[in-house]
Amino acid sequence: MDTEGTYDARGTGADRVPRPAGPPPAAPPPPTYAPHPRRPPTGTGEDAVGEWLRTPRPVREPGVWRYGHTPRPPEKPEGVSDRSLLVGVLISVLSGLLLWSLWRNGYIPYRLVPLKLFTPGDWWYAGTFGGPRTIEGADALTVYEAVLFGLLVYGCGRLGNWTELFRRHVAGRGQPFLALATAAGGALAELLVWKDGVPVVRPVLILVASVAGGEIYQSQAVVNVIYTLIALAVLWPFARLGRWRRLLADRFGRGAATAPRVPDAPPDAPTPDQWPELRAAGRTDAAEALTAAVRAGRMNDVDVARVRHAWTVGRARPERLDALDEAVLRAGGAAALHPSGARDLPFRTARHDLLTGQVRLGSCAEDPRNPYARRGSGIALEPALLGTSLLAVGPPGAGKSARLVRPVVESLALQALAGRAAVLAVQGAGGELGPDDAFDVVVRIGDPASVHDFDLYGGTTDPDEAASVLAEGLVGDVTHLDSRRAATVLAQLLGPYRAVHGHFPGVSALRELLDGDLTAVGTLREALAAGGHQAMLRELEARTRQKGGAGDPGPVLADRIALLDRPAFAPFFTTGEEARPFSLRSLEHLPLRVRIDLPERAHAEASRLLTRLVLAQFTTVAAARADRSLFLCLVLDDATHTVTAETVRGVRRLRSVNAGAVLTLRTVDDVPEGLHTALLGAVGCCMAFSGVTTWDGKRFAEVWGKEWVETREVAQHAVFADQPFTRALHGLRKLVTGKAVTRDAVTVRRVERERWSASELAYQLPAGHAVLSLTTVDGEHAPPLLVELGG
């Protein structure tokens, strides 16, 4: 196993790793594919990984899919209705036409007074209404009218809100409608300009002649140039509004790339695909080798994340950086391989970004109950969120396994290949959490073909610790039985048995001792006496005296362990030298990918017992490990009847030891009623799928609390007129509309309301949606969001 010296530093070796589900390749070939942080990957060709590295990932609120995230434009206040907008535009156009008609026909008094104030008097006839006397006056009047026409169009446009009409009904439809509409407008404008319907050509010619002299028009070439400039000037605003330049660039391939725009960097600054952190530390040769591997397509996103993690770990131990440099120069992107030798999963079903550790679940729905800034943005989970643990509730078929559990397991498996996490997934036999070759260890309990057994004692050698964890799995769901008393009974048997045999008893032997079989107990007593184990002999005698007393948990323990003492489980749960169990202790040091398949259909009660045992062992192992650099995560595809009071306390402790758990339930009632509040308070992330009941919705509504909202109440009051003329108008209006004349009284108040009510969660969640609230290990919160799964 080629670890390049990165995993051996934890003090573990190959002998500590359970045999994998399939033999790893001796020398895995370099991948010839581009990584797929997205589906499909960003770009094509050899530089796909470099483009993926250069894509910006701005720091945003918890749960935002950061890869290429673009902030939503600021929210604009609600505008007028389309009907009012169209009426306003029509009125402004008619008003402008009326004013221009009155101007051209001389019905506006004193219309030439401002012009006469700034021009010589001999240009005009005497009197207020006197027109131009000379050619100069006529030219000045033409320019004057053109200026006034422009001001009139500008004023009518502002008055009628033409820009809002254009934005809403033309620009809002996007291309190519925008370009076609502006092209039609430009053609109409050109027609009006050259037909002298709009005063543009003559004023421009007059101004050019006044500046350059009239002799300039003796050259036909100059005249043609001026006409061309006028035509282009008329089309220029329409080209700007229609974004013709961008449309042409997109059509000819300049804008075909779909990747988000990368901000410009200083010319001498290395880009992320050039490994600037290694260059800054003086590891130029290694940086050049990795840069060449990225640009040649010999590295995928898992390789990049793995080497980056190895470099981060190596900086804490400078003596290991030289070994990492040698491995990079020798193997390139295959340096610091995962113990299995794998460099990727067989296939992916979700979108992942290994630089941030995120997996995308969907997108925030365009719903008014979501904050405006979050609508349309991607929703993603990462270790910083899973470290507070996640509880998902939804009926069968709501998508918990396919749209939540599978992507999370897939993401953690990829991070395990990068050396940053270890994942333990528990599912029923025939589940869909991934193929066998996507895991290092696959335990199929009840399947004779399984390579591994399961260690009931969690790999510990302490009888008290083993008894405590085993008691939690066996009788943790029995409300009338104290699991501490059950742990004492088990310890009184496990300790003496280990003192004699050097290992804990198997299922059959433990069942005999719990039943008080005289032969088994007598044989153990004689062995203890012969070996001089007086302390353990006293433990066994104490158990013998307590057997059969009031409240003795022994019979209950014997009945529960009998669930595992079945012919289907005969090859499993063995102990001693011939045993081949998988122990959760392996997760303490190695980034393993483990899957446990339970026989839920044939042995439902035994499967629940084993799930409780796995949960109890995981919380114990995660809290007791000394090296907490790896993120540990337990994923239970079905946590029905597995949560106990002790495991709730264990789940609450996970966030402080760099670990987390993902639990899914069909209903909260699958947990004892006394633990509902404790469980919902222990997890930092809650997820309610469509189809939850109002009872479950009520519990989530209590967890998510209330918020202050602004409400508007409109009351209509009848208007009573005192004057006869007004009463007549009101009567005519009622006769025409059929409604009495009223006026609106608007009351605005701030009230406190539930973020999501029980009825909204039960009846207003569309299929394929869920409401998700998030909390990071640092305590940062995200409000409950309506998520479109897979969007």
Side-chain angles (χ1 to χ4, degrees), residues 732-750:
L732 179 62
R733 179 176 176 181
K734 183 177 182 180
L735 181 64
V736 173
T737 62
K739 297 181 180 180
V741 180
T742 60
R743 62 181 178 184
D744 294 340
V746 181
T747 303
V748 179
R749 296 188 303 172
R750 285 179 57 83

Side-chain angles (χ1 to χ4, degrees), residues 590-608:
L590 295 170
L592 293 177
R593 303 165 293 164
V594 183
R595 194 189 76 208
I596 299 178
D597 295 347
L598 302 175
E600 289 184 345
R601 296 181 180 178
H603 304 276
E605 191 62 30
S607 297
R608 294 172 183 173

Side-chain angles (χ1 to χ4, degrees), residues 27-33 293 296-300 303 306 331-335 337 341 343:
T32 58
Y33 50 83
R298 296 194 301 269
M299 292 183 70
N300 62 5
D303 295 330
R306 186 184 64 252
L337 275 180
R343 297 172 65 177

